[in-house]
Amino acid sequence: MSKPKVVILGAGYAGLVTARQLTKKLSQEEAEIVLINKHNYHYESTWLHEVAAGTLTPNQARFMISDVVNPNRVRLIYDTVLEVNKDDQRVVLENSEVTYDYLVIALGFVTNTFGIKGMEENAFFIQDIESSRLIAEHIEYQFAKYSAGEITDDDELNIIVGGGGFTGIEFVGELVEEVPRLCKKYDIPRNKVRIINVEAAPSILPMFDKDLVSYAIQSLESRGVEFRMGAAISECTKEGFIVGEDKELIKGGTVVWTGGVTGNPVLGKSGFEIVKGKVNVDADLRVQGEENIFALGDCSWVMDKESGRPYPPTGQLATQEGVVAAENIKALINNEPLKDFIFSDKGTVASLGVTDGIGNIFQGTKIKGKSAAAMKKVVDDRTLFLVGGPKTVLKKGKFRPF
Amino acid sequence: MSKPKVVILGAGYAGLVTARQLTKKLSQEEAEIVLINKHNYHYESTWLHEVAAGTLTPNQARFMISDVVNPNRVRLIYDTVLEVNKDDQRVVLENSEVTYDYLVIALGFVTNTFGIKGMEENAFFIQDIESSRLIAEHIEYQFAKYSAGEITDDDELNIIVGGGGFTGIEFVGELVEEVPRLCKKYDIPRNKVRIINVEAAPSILPMFDKDLVSYAIQSLESRGVEFRMGAAISECTKEGFIVGEDKELIKGGTVVWTGGVTGNPVLGKSGFEIVKGKVNVDADLRVQGEENIFALGDCSWVMDKESGRPYPPTGQLATQEGVVAAENIKALINNEPLKDFIFSDKGTVASLGVTDGIGNIFQGTKIKGKSAAAMKKVVDDRTLFLVGGPKTVLKKGKFRPF
């Protein structure tokens, strides 16, 4: 009898942790493990706002998969997943096909524009390494063109950011660090450059309570961010966002949309039942109605029995899911009972640049300022440890002094 | 009786040396000295090809004028010169006016497109700090867009350079260093990026003899430069250069024109007689027919009595002219006879990247390879010493190991 074959799609937080855990839990003889990823590197998707702002180099936010997964234990395939064929237990890739006995779908998110007119065509997205660094390069190119007199309208220097969620706010927090540097480099007065955050809801960062949010707003405003809350975007043009009932145009030479994400479209193409862009999974993380398919991270909704709502999607959640998915795959192979996933909340911290932040930790303790900024780096390094081990923390960890 | 007032227009090689020499030759009581420049910094215009390629940061190629000229001895005005009014002995600036008793016009060059259709609109120029770094930023932005899938045509990665003179060749020499770095950074195979030098004449670098030129061509070709010699550009479009009788289109996402320079247009606007874009000066460097106006560097033609032709315009020439102009201004003030300028040729070295080059030194010795590359750095540091003194060499000098 041949070994069971576990195929993992995606080397993000969830997929990479699943692969690493499986190599620890199963011997070479017990299972064949295949990890399929578009690139030969993993990137920290929760750090992309820094790459997009230019405060972190792309290489600091990524590492080679083969550095953290033993290629002798896990077959690594670098290819793009097109579709899963459940009936044949087969995954169709751009350049080949792979069959599986057990499948883990951890293909991450894509940006969701909610069908806002012109957003797809005219806005940048913080979606992966390439799309994020393109933003940093675009911003710098605007500065270079302005200083060389190729563009003369001050609005071309404006950076407008749609979405006041985690990514949008952490992104403007990095911009207030980077813009003064660019201004100095290109001899442009700081007051020529506006950083505008546009959010349809009456406030930002819904996951934090009122006083942390006010703190964040004040901190960012004092460093030059303008907020336009309660401003729903009806259209994105080449010039900027059109907001509100009077169709006001907020102009900017760099237009970034961070207002929503959704699960990878491969899910829908493969015939899974999609609920708000993702699939629902059972408590054991298997796709509802499927015996041998797990869906993790931004591809699935996991119900929090306490609140009666799905857990909010974070890197922390994805990482923890990877551990349980690996345990349950081992259980399936050994015909043992599966365990339920329960999220252990280590807290949530949002950075507001290098030296400031807000957070909830230890289930109820609020922090802000430098201690939150320090805690954010601890959180980032902890995630890095889980996906990449201690060597990766040493190489890519955040120990920026302040 | 009031002190004579010497006004120097431009803080390039010629102007800055004139100003510095005057402070040494004349006491505070003997003359008032005014130096007018567009920016508060001097830049090494013979290094701009490195800024344009991205191998040198703009800050390495410039320094503050007030760091090398004592502002208590020289009145520094940072403004743009619009016109010289000879009859009133007055210079019109963008924001004010300045009268003079003695005038030094050292306003440098602007790019000359020779009226080639579309060149002004569609090509980048290596003209000053801003225009040069814009090229580096544009090249990198093309790579970022390509890697993010925003552009897909490989030709968009091509860098095409019009002009096989000093600047054009030294620029492609830097590009062969920089392009592999960008390819690595953006995960783009090196063979996707073409670097094409286009020259109307049958060969490149007319100032060097045949074997040095063949050496340069071979060296650059072996590192991936393509040469199109004997290819006259009839038009520059958004897509690239149109060359030859059959109107062949050479495509590139980055199009740079280095094919010609001319003296600052202020000369013509001010009513001086223009010969091929510059004014003729007498052997004492005064504009022909003018008693109290000097024109230096790329603004003037100085006749070489030996060859019967004007000296070729270089940074070295401009620097030496600055020394003689200062001496002659002192002579004028003291009613002493003026001296003739004679160029002392210290040799000419062209770099072909960091570790290669060709040159003529000691009036007849040909060098190539690493020794030429090393000599080039010596030449650059020597110029820097003349315009900025020893401290500037320590801060901005070229001591790159290889």
Side-chain angles (χ1 to χ4, degrees), chain B residues 92-135:
Chain B
V92 183
L93 309 176
E94 214 164 72
N95 301 301
S96 67
E97 295 196 348
V98 176
T99 57
Y100 63 84
D101 297 306
Y102 301 99
L103 184 68
V104 178
I105 303 177
L107 288 165
F109 71 92
V110 297
T111 298
N112 188 354
T113 63
F114 303 112
I116 297 172
K117 193 178 163 191
M119 196 61 88
E120 194 77 39
E121 300 81 356
N122 297 313
F124 290 104
F125 301 152
I126 299 178
Q127 192 164 277
D128 54 25
I129 289 282
E130 278 78 14
S131 65
S132 301
R133 89 172 136 197
L134 180 62
I135 297 171

mmCIF file of all heavy atoms in Angstrom, chain B residues 92-135:
data_model
loop_
_atom_site.group_PDB
_atom_site.id
_atom_site.type_symbol
_atom_site.label_atom_id
_atom_site.label_comp_id
_atom_site.label_asym_id
_atom_site.label_seq_id
_atom_site.Cartn_x
_atom_site.Cartn_y
_atom_site.Cartn_z
ATOM 1 N N VAL B 92 19.134 89.904 -14.208
ATOM 2 C CA VAL B 92 17.742 89.722 -13.788
ATOM 3 C C VAL B 92 17.559 88.281 -13.306
ATOM 4 O O VAL B 92 17.809 87.330 -14.051
ATOM 5 C CB VAL B 92 16.771 90.006 -14.952
ATOM 6 C CG1 VAL B 92 15.323 89.890 -14.482
ATOM 7 C CG2 VAL B 92 17.049 91.372 -15.558
ATOM 8 N N LEU B 93 17.140 88.159 -12.061
ATOM 9 C CA LEU B 93 16.870 86.837 -11.487
ATOM 10 C C LEU B 93 15.371 86.646 -11.380
ATOM 11 O O LEU B 93 14.596 87.588 -11.557
ATOM 12 C CB LEU B 93 17.499 86.719 -10.092
ATOM 13 C CG LEU B 93 18.973 87.101 -9.982
ATOM 14 C CD1 LEU B 93 19.434 87.027 -8.531
ATOM 15 C CD2 LEU B 93 19.820 86.190 -10.849
ATOM 16 N N GLU B 94 14.973 85.427 -11.054
ATOM 17 C CA GLU B 94 13.542 85.156 -10.933
ATOM 18 C C GLU B 94 12.926 86.018 -9.838
ATOM 19 O O GLU B 94 11.824 86.534 -9.987
ATOM 20 C CB GLU B 94 13.340 83.676 -10.606
ATOM 21 C CG GLU B 94 12.099 83.075 -11.220
ATOM 22 C CD GLU B 94 12.175 81.555 -11.189
ATOM 23 O OE1 GLU B 94 12.055 80.971 -10.083
ATOM 24 O OE2 GLU B 94 12.387 80.963 -12.244
ATOM 25 N N ASN B 95 13.658 86.200 -8.726
ATOM 26 C CA ASN B 95 13.077 86.902 -7.582
ATOM 27 C C ASN B 95 13.717 88.244 -7.246
ATOM 28 O O ASN B 95 13.285 88.896 -6.296
ATOM 29 C CB ASN B 95 13.153 86.004 -6.342
ATOM 30 C CG ASN B 95 12.421 84.697 -6.562
ATOM 31 O OD1 ASN B 95 11.229 84.697 -6.838
ATOM 32 N ND2 ASN B 95 13.136 83.587 -6.482
ATOM 33 N N SER B 96 14.746 88.638 -7.969
ATOM 34 C CA SER B 96 15.368 89.925 -7.674
ATOM 35 C C SER B 96 16.287 90.327 -8.828
ATOM 36 O O SER B 96 16.297 89.674 -9.880
ATOM 37 C CB SER B 96 16.162 89.861 -6.362
ATOM 38 O OG SER B 96 17.279 89.008 -6.512
ATOM 39 N N GLU B 97 17.049 91.371 -8.622
ATOM 40 C CA GLU B 97 18.024 91.806 -9.624
ATOM 41 C C GLU B 97 19.334 92.121 -8.916
ATOM 42 O O GLU B 97 19.338 92.517 -7.748
ATOM 43 C CB GLU B 97 17.536 93.062 -10.335
ATOM 44 C CG GLU B 97 16.278 92.832 -11.153
ATOM 45 C CD GLU B 97 16.036 93.962 -12.140
ATOM 46 O OE1 GLU B 97 16.703 95.016 -12.034
ATOM 47 O OE2 GLU B 97 15.190 93.767 -13.027
ATOM 48 N N VAL B 98 20.441 91.990 -9.630
ATOM 49 C CA VAL B 98 21.752 92.249 -9.041
ATOM 50 C C VAL B 98 22.587 93.016 -10.064
ATOM 51 O O VAL B 98 22.641 92.636 -11.232
ATOM 52 C CB VAL B 98 22.461 90.907 -8.697
ATOM 53 C CG1 VAL B 98 23.869 91.172 -8.170
ATOM 54 C CG2 VAL B 98 21.649 90.113 -7.688
ATOM 55 N N THR B 99 23.227 94.088 -9.633
ATOM 56 C CA THR B 99 24.138 94.800 -10.543
ATOM 57 C C THR B 99 25.557 94.275 -10.361
ATOM 58 O O THR B 99 25.862 93.635 -9.356
ATOM 59 C CB THR B 99 24.138 96.308 -10.236
ATOM 60 O OG1 THR B 99 24.504 96.484 -8.866
ATOM 61 C CG2 THR B 99 22.756 96.909 -10.469
ATOM 62 N N TYR B 100 26.397 94.542 -11.354
ATOM 63 C CA TYR B 100 27.771 94.046 -11.266
ATOM 64 C C TYR B 100 28.737 95.061 -11.870
ATOM 65 O O TYR B 100 28.345 95.906 -12.689
ATOM 66 C CB TYR B 100 27.895 92.714 -12.012
ATOM 67 C CG TYR B 100 27.620 92.796 -13.504
ATOM 68 C CD1 TYR B 100 28.624 93.171 -14.405
ATOM 69 C CD2 TYR B 100 26.364 92.500 -14.014
ATOM 70 C CE1 TYR B 100 28.371 93.261 -15.768
ATOM 71 C CE2 TYR B 100 26.100 92.584 -15.378
ATOM 72 C CZ TYR B 100 27.103 92.968 -16.258
ATOM 73 O OH TYR B 100 26.852 93.070 -17.597
ATOM 74 N N ASP B 101 30.015 94.946 -11.458
ATOM 75 C CA ASP B 101 31.089 95.626 -12.174
ATOM 76 C C ASP B 101 31.811 94.622 -13.079
ATOM 77 O O ASP B 101 32.183 94.939 -14.200
ATOM 78 C CB ASP B 101 32.066 96.245 -11.170
ATOM 79 C CG ASP B 101 31.380 97.311 -10.336
ATOM 80 O OD1 ASP B 101 30.781 98.231 -10.919
ATOM 81 O OD2 ASP B 101 31.390 97.191 -9.084
ATOM 82 N N TYR B 102 31.997 93.413 -12.545
ATOM 83 C CA TYR B 102 32.607 92.334 -13.335
ATOM 84 C C TYR B 102 31.659 91.134 -13.261
ATOM 85 O O TYR B 102 31.149 90.807 -12.202
ATOM 86 C CB TYR B 102 33.977 91.955 -12.775
ATOM 87 C CG TYR B 102 34.917 93.138 -12.759
ATOM 88 C CD1 TYR B 102 35.118 93.858 -11.584
ATOM 89 C CD2 TYR B 102 35.574 93.555 -13.916
ATOM 90 C CE1 TYR B 102 35.949 94.962 -11.565
ATOM 91 C CE2 TYR B 102 36.407 94.659 -13.905
ATOM 92 C CZ TYR B 102 36.592 95.371 -12.728
ATOM 93 O OH TYR B 102 37.398 96.459 -12.716
ATOM 94 N N LEU B 103 31.486 90.502 -14.416
ATOM 95 C CA LEU B 103 30.540 89.394 -14.472
ATOM 96 C C LEU B 103 31.223 88.129 -14.990
ATOM 97 O O LEU B 103 31.992 88.182 -15.949
ATOM 98 C CB LEU B 103 29.371 89.753 -15.401
ATOM 99 C CG LEU B 103 28.233 88.718 -15.484
ATOM 100 C CD1 LEU B 103 27.469 88.639 -14.157
ATOM 101 C CD2 LEU B 103 27.271 89.062 -16.619
ATOM 102 N N VAL B 104 30.920 87.001 -14.349
ATOM 103 C CA VAL B 104 31.396 85.701 -14.826
ATOM 104 C C VAL B 104 30.168 84.859 -15.149
ATOM 105 O O VAL B 104 29.368 84.561 -14.262
ATOM 106 C CB VAL B 104 32.250 84.992 -13.748
ATOM 107 C CG1 VAL B 104 32.687 83.616 -14.249
ATOM 108 C CG2 VAL B 104 33.444 85.840 -13.364
ATOM 109 N N ILE B 105 30.037 84.492 -16.407
ATOM 110 C CA ILE B 105 28.899 83.655 -16.813
ATOM 111 C C ILE B 105 29.386 82.215 -16.888
ATOM 112 O O ILE B 105 30.201 81.863 -17.743
ATOM 113 C CB ILE B 105 28.340 84.100 -18.176
ATOM 114 C CG1 ILE B 105 27.935 85.581 -18.129
ATOM 115 C CG2 ILE B 105 27.133 83.238 -18.557
ATOM 116 C CD1 ILE B 105 27.449 86.122 -19.464
ATOM 117 N N ALA B 106 28.891 81.411 -15.965
ATOM 118 C CA ALA B 106 29.322 80.008 -15.888
ATOM 119 C C ALA B 106 28.087 79.169 -15.614
ATOM 120 O O ALA B 106 27.997 78.444 -14.638
ATOM 121 C CB ALA B 106 30.374 79.850 -14.789
ATOM 122 N N LEU B 107 27.116 79.337 -16.500
ATOM 123 C CA LEU B 107 25.795 78.745 -16.272
ATOM 124 C C LEU B 107 25.634 77.348 -16.841
ATOM 125 O O LEU B 107 24.541 76.783 -16.821
ATOM 126 C CB LEU B 107 24.710 79.674 -16.831
ATOM 127 C CG LEU B 107 24.499 80.960 -16.010
ATOM 128 C CD1 LEU B 107 23.682 81.966 -16.822
ATOM 129 C CD2 LEU B 107 23.801 80.650 -14.689
ATOM 130 N N GLY B 108 26.731 76.785 -17.351
ATOM 131 C CA GLY B 108 26.682 75.378 -17.736
ATOM 132 C C GLY B 108 25.906 75.094 -19.005
ATOM 133 O O GLY B 108 25.650 75.991 -19.813
ATOM 134 N N PHE B 109 25.549 73.832 -19.132
ATOM 135 C CA PHE B 109 24.946 73.356 -20.379
ATOM 136 C C PHE B 109 23.475 73.016 -20.199
ATOM 137 O O PHE B 109 23.004 72.860 -19.081
ATOM 138 C CB PHE B 109 25.684 72.106 -20.874
ATOM 139 C CG PHE B 109 25.416 70.879 -20.026
ATOM 140 C CD1 PHE B 109 24.382 70.009 -20.333
ATOM 141 C CD2 PHE B 109 26.209 70.597 -18.912
ATOM 142 C CE1 PHE B 109 24.140 68.870 -19.555
ATOM 143 C CE2 PHE B 109 25.973 69.469 -18.129
ATOM 144 C CZ PHE B 109 24.926 68.611 -18.458
ATOM 145 N N VAL B 110 22.787 72.918 -21.308
ATOM 146 C CA VAL B 110 21.507 72.216 -21.341
ATOM 147 C C VAL B 110 21.614 71.192 -22.473
ATOM 148 O O VAL B 110 22.468 71.298 -23.347
ATOM 149 C CB VAL B 110 20.305 73.164 -21.580
ATOM 150 C CG1 VAL B 110 20.151 74.161 -20.440
ATOM 151 C CG2 VAL B 110 20.425 73.878 -22.918
ATOM 152 N N THR B 111 20.747 70.196 -22.416
ATOM 153 C CA THR B 111 20.771 69.161 -23.446
ATOM 154 C C THR B 111 20.335 69.748 -24.781
ATOM 155 O O THR B 111 19.450 70.590 -24.846
ATOM 156 C CB THR B 111 19.840 68.009 -23.022
ATOM 157 O OG1 THR B 111 20.351 67.458 -21.807
ATOM 158 C CG2 THR B 111 19.785 66.917 -24.083
ATOM 159 N N ASN B 112 20.980 69.288 -25.830
ATOM 160 C CA ASN B 112 20.651 69.730 -27.179
ATOM 161 C C ASN B 112 20.059 68.550 -27.944
ATOM 162 O O ASN B 112 20.718 67.524 -28.124
ATOM 163 C CB ASN B 112 21.938 70.214 -27.871
ATOM 164 C CG ASN B 112 21.656 70.871 -29.199
ATOM 165 O OD1 ASN B 112 20.519 70.888 -29.676
ATOM 166 N ND2 ASN B 112 22.693 71.422 -29.805
ATOM 167 N N THR B 113 18.824 68.691 -28.373
ATOM 168 C CA THR B 113 18.185 67.581 -29.104
ATOM 169 C C THR B 113 18.359 67.740 -30.608
ATOM 170 O O THR B 113 17.865 66.915 -31.373
ATOM 171 C CB THR B 113 16.681 67.508 -28.783
ATOM 172 O OG1 THR B 113 16.080 68.740 -29.240
ATOM 173 C CG2 THR B 113 16.422 67.348 -27.300
ATOM 174 N N PHE B 114 19.014 68.816 -31.031
ATOM 175 C CA PHE B 114 19.191 69.113 -32.462
ATOM 176 C C PHE B 114 17.859 69.101 -33.209
ATOM 177 O O PHE B 114 17.809 68.783 -34.399
ATOM 178 C CB PHE B 114 20.169 68.116 -33.110
ATOM 179 C CG PHE B 114 21.511 68.091 -32.448
ATOM 180 C CD1 PHE B 114 21.939 66.974 -31.738
ATOM 181 C CD2 PHE B 114 22.354 69.204 -32.489
ATOM 182 C CE1 PHE B 114 23.177 66.954 -31.104
ATOM 183 C CE2 PHE B 114 23.604 69.184 -31.862
ATOM 184 C CZ PHE B 114 24.006 68.067 -31.165
ATOM 185 N N GLY B 115 16.802 69.399 -32.483
ATOM 186 C CA GLY B 115 15.483 69.456 -33.129
ATOM 187 C C GLY B 115 14.916 68.115 -33.561
ATOM 188 O O GLY B 115 13.955 68.049 -34.315
ATOM 189 N N ILE B 116 15.493 67.019 -33.054
ATOM 190 C CA ILE B 116 14.957 65.694 -33.432
ATOM 191 C C ILE B 116 13.527 65.592 -32.914
ATOM 192 O O ILE B 116 13.256 65.833 -31.740
ATOM 193 C CB ILE B 116 15.822 64.551 -32.854
ATOM 194 C CG1 ILE B 116 17.233 64.602 -33.440
ATOM 195 C CG2 ILE B 116 15.169 63.198 -33.137
ATOM 196 C CD1 ILE B 116 18.214 63.628 -32.790
ATOM 197 N N LYS B 117 12.643 65.234 -33.821
ATOM 198 C CA LYS B 117 11.206 65.219 -33.526
ATOM 199 C C LYS B 117 10.892 64.329 -32.309
ATOM 200 O O LYS B 117 11.311 63.169 -32.265
ATOM 201 C CB LYS B 117 10.460 64.692 -34.756
ATOM 202 C CG LYS B 117 8.970 64.895 -34.722
ATOM 203 C CD LYS B 117 8.328 64.385 -36.016
ATOM 204 C CE LYS B 117 6.830 64.199 -35.835
ATOM 205 N NZ LYS B 117 6.227 63.464 -36.953
ATOM 206 N N GLY B 118 10.171 64.869 -31.357
ATOM 207 C CA GLY B 118 9.697 64.083 -30.220
ATOM 208 C C GLY B 118 10.724 63.864 -29.113
ATOM 209 O O GLY B 118 10.390 63.327 -28.054
ATOM 210 N N MET B 119 11.978 64.259 -29.343
ATOM 211 C CA MET B 119 13.029 63.979 -28.351
ATOM 212 C C MET B 119 12.770 64.746 -27.046
ATOM 213 O O MET B 119 12.863 64.183 -25.950
ATOM 214 C CB MET B 119 14.392 64.354 -28.932
ATOM 215 C CG MET B 119 15.566 63.770 -28.186
ATOM 216 S SD MET B 119 15.601 61.965 -28.166
ATOM 217 C CE MET B 119 16.509 61.618 -29.677
ATOM 218 N N GLU B 120 12.466 66.019 -27.174
ATOM 219 C CA GLU B 120 12.193 66.865 -26.007
ATOM 220 C C GLU B 120 11.069 66.272 -25.153
ATOM 221 O O GLU B 120 11.162 66.237 -23.921
ATOM 222 C CB GLU B 120 11.783 68.262 -26.512
ATOM 223 C CG GLU B 120 11.783 69.355 -25.472
ATOM 224 C CD GLU B 120 13.188 69.852 -25.134
ATOM 225 O OE1 GLU B 120 14.014 69.972 -26.068
ATOM 226 O OE2 GLU B 120 13.441 70.094 -23.944
ATOM 227 N N GLU B 121 10.023 65.787 -25.791
ATOM 228 C CA GLU B 121 8.834 65.312 -25.076
ATOM 229 C C GLU B 121 9.011 63.909 -24.521
ATOM 230 O O GLU B 121 8.467 63.579 -23.469
ATOM 231 C CB GLU B 121 7.604 65.276 -26.013
ATOM 232 C CG GLU B 121 7.204 66.614 -26.617
ATOM 233 C CD GLU B 121 8.056 67.002 -27.837
ATOM 234 O OE1 GLU B 121 9.004 66.262 -28.168
ATOM 235 O OE2 GLU B 121 7.777 68.059 -28.425
ATOM 236 N N ASN B 122 9.732 63.049 -25.229
ATOM 237 C CA ASN B 122 9.687 61.624 -24.893
ATOM 238 C C ASN B 122 10.952 61.034 -24.289
ATOM 239 O O ASN B 122 10.926 59.914 -23.782
ATOM 240 C CB ASN B 122 9.301 60.814 -26.135
ATOM 241 C CG ASN B 122 7.904 61.165 -26.619
ATOM 242 O OD1 ASN B 122 6.963 61.233 -25.824
ATOM 243 N ND2 ASN B 122 7.772 61.444 -27.906
ATOM 244 N N ALA B 123 12.057 61.767 -24.352
ATOM 245 C CA ALA B 123 13.301 61.188 -23.822
ATOM 246 C C ALA B 123 13.669 61.837 -22.497
ATOM 247 O O ALA B 123 13.310 62.984 -22.221
ATOM 248 C CB ALA B 123 14.442 61.372 -24.822
ATOM 249 N N PHE B 124 14.379 61.088 -21.680
ATOM 250 C CA PHE B 124 14.976 61.639 -20.463
ATOM 251 C C PHE B 124 16.347 62.233 -20.810
ATOM 252 O O PHE B 124 17.020 61.753 -21.723
ATOM 253 C CB PHE B 124 15.180 60.540 -19.422
ATOM 254 C CG PHE B 124 13.895 60.030 -18.830
ATOM 255 C CD1 PHE B 124 13.375 58.802 -19.212
ATOM 256 C CD2 PHE B 124 13.216 60.772 -17.875
ATOM 257 C CE1 PHE B 124 12.198 58.318 -18.654
ATOM 258 C CE2 PHE B 124 12.033 60.296 -17.308
ATOM 259 C CZ PHE B 124 11.531 59.077 -17.712
ATOM 260 N N PHE B 125 16.765 63.238 -20.040
ATOM 261 C CA PHE B 125 18.075 63.858 -20.239
ATOM 262 C C PHE B 125 18.915 63.726 -18.973
ATOM 263 O O PHE B 125 18.385 63.812 -17.861
ATOM 264 C CB PHE B 125 17.924 65.357 -20.535
ATOM 265 C CG PHE B 125 17.100 65.680 -21.748
ATOM 266 C CD1 PHE B 125 16.413 66.895 -21.808
ATOM 267 C CD2 PHE B 125 17.007 64.808 -22.819
ATOM 268 C CE1 PHE B 125 15.650 67.218 -22.926
ATOM 269 C CE2 PHE B 125 16.244 65.124 -23.942
ATOM 270 C CZ PHE B 125 15.566 66.341 -23.985
ATOM 271 N N ILE B 126 20.219 63.591 -19.150
ATOM 272 C CA ILE B 126 21.156 63.602 -18.029
ATOM 273 C C ILE B 126 21.679 65.031 -17.923
ATOM 274 O O ILE B 126 22.691 65.379 -18.513
ATOM 275 C CB ILE B 126 22.284 62.572 -18.263
ATOM 276 C CG1 ILE B 126 21.676 61.166 -18.360
ATOM 277 C CG2 ILE B 126 23.319 62.644 -17.150
ATOM 278 C CD1 ILE B 126 22.684 60.065 -18.644
ATOM 279 N N GLN B 127 20.961 65.865 -17.205
ATOM 280 C CA GLN B 127 21.187 67.300 -17.281
ATOM 281 C C GLN B 127 21.515 67.927 -15.932
ATOM 282 O O GLN B 127 22.321 68.836 -15.834
ATOM 283 C CB GLN B 127 19.929 67.932 -17.871
ATOM 284 C CG GLN B 127 20.074 69.352 -18.271
ATOM 285 C CD GLN B 127 18.941 69.778 -19.199
ATOM 286 O OE1 GLN B 127 18.960 69.561 -20.398
ATOM 287 N NE2 GLN B 127 17.919 70.388 -18.614
ATOM 288 N N ASP B 128 20.854 67.485 -14.895
ATOM 289 C CA ASP B 128 21.131 67.975 -13.551
ATOM 290 C C ASP B 128 20.753 66.869 -12.568
ATOM 291 O O ASP B 128 20.415 65.760 -12.988
ATOM 292 C CB ASP B 128 20.388 69.292 -13.275
ATOM 293 C CG ASP B 128 18.892 69.171 -13.535
ATOM 294 O OD1 ASP B 128 18.356 68.047 -13.469
ATOM 295 O OD2 ASP B 128 18.257 70.197 -13.817
ATOM 296 N N ILE B 129 20.857 67.153 -11.282
ATOM 297 C CA ILE B 129 20.570 66.119 -10.278
ATOM 298 C C ILE B 129 19.143 65.579 -10.434
ATOM 299 O O ILE B 129 18.928 64.365 -10.478
ATOM 300 C CB ILE B 129 20.765 66.700 -8.851
ATOM 301 C CG1 ILE B 129 22.254 66.929 -8.562
ATOM 302 C CG2 ILE B 129 20.140 65.798 -7.800
ATOM 303 C CD1 ILE B 129 23.040 65.687 -8.210
ATOM 304 N N GLU B 130 18.193 66.488 -10.548
ATOM 305 C CA GLU B 130 16.793 66.051 -10.604
ATOM 306 C C GLU B 130 16.502 65.198 -11.840
ATOM 307 O O GLU B 130 15.853 64.163 -11.749
ATOM 308 C CB GLU B 130 15.838 67.255 -10.604
ATOM 309 C CG GLU B 130 15.550 67.837 -9.250
ATOM 310 C CD GLU B 130 16.678 68.712 -8.746
ATOM 311 O OE1 GLU B 130 17.567 69.077 -9.553
ATOM 312 O OE2 GLU B 130 16.699 69.008 -7.542
ATOM 313 N N SER B 131 16.936 65.679 -12.990
ATOM 314 C CA SER B 131 16.623 64.945 -14.221
ATOM 315 C C SER B 131 17.360 63.602 -14.244
ATOM 316 O O SER B 131 16.857 62.635 -14.796
ATOM 317 C CB SER B 131 16.998 65.773 -15.449
ATOM 318 O OG SER B 131 18.395 65.970 -15.501
ATOM 319 N N SER B 132 18.524 63.541 -13.616
ATOM 320 C CA SER B 132 19.296 62.302 -13.631
ATOM 321 C C SER B 132 18.691 61.266 -12.687
ATOM 322 O O SER B 132 18.534 60.106 -13.038
ATOM 323 C CB SER B 132 20.753 62.571 -13.243
ATOM 324 O OG SER B 132 21.325 63.490 -14.148
ATOM 325 N N ARG B 133 18.333 61.705 -11.488
ATOM 326 C CA ARG B 133 17.779 60.694 -10.568
ATOM 327 C C ARG B 133 16.398 60.253 -11.016
ATOM 328 O O ARG B 133 15.964 59.142 -10.714
ATOM 329 C CB ARG B 133 17.796 61.184 -9.133
ATOM 330 C CG ARG B 133 16.596 61.939 -8.693
ATOM 331 C CD ARG B 133 16.679 62.185 -7.198
ATOM 332 N NE ARG B 133 16.310 63.553 -6.944
ATOM 333 C CZ ARG B 133 16.567 64.192 -5.818
ATOM 334 N NH1 ARG B 133 17.220 63.609 -4.858
ATOM 335 N NH2 ARG B 133 16.177 65.420 -5.664
ATOM 336 N N LEU B 134 15.725 61.116 -11.776
ATOM 337 C CA LEU B 134 14.434 60.715 -12.339
ATOM 338 C C LEU B 134 14.612 59.487 -13.235
ATOM 339 O O LEU B 134 13.764 58.593 -13.257
ATOM 340 C CB LEU B 134 13.838 61.883 -13.134
ATOM 341 C CG LEU B 134 12.489 61.625 -13.794
ATOM 342 C CD1 LEU B 134 11.417 61.321 -12.751
ATOM 343 C CD2 LEU B 134 12.066 62.809 -14.659
ATOM 344 N N ILE B 135 15.720 59.440 -13.956
ATOM 345 C CA ILE B 135 15.983 58.293 -14.838
ATOM 346 C C ILE B 135 16.140 57.022 -14.004
ATOM 347 O O ILE B 135 15.525 55.998 -14.294
ATOM 348 C CB ILE B 135 17.246 58.545 -15.687
ATOM 349 C CG1 ILE B 135 17.010 59.747 -16.609
ATOM 350 C CG2 ILE B 135 17.616 57.297 -16.487
ATOM 351 C CD1 ILE B 135 18.262 60.218 -17.349
#
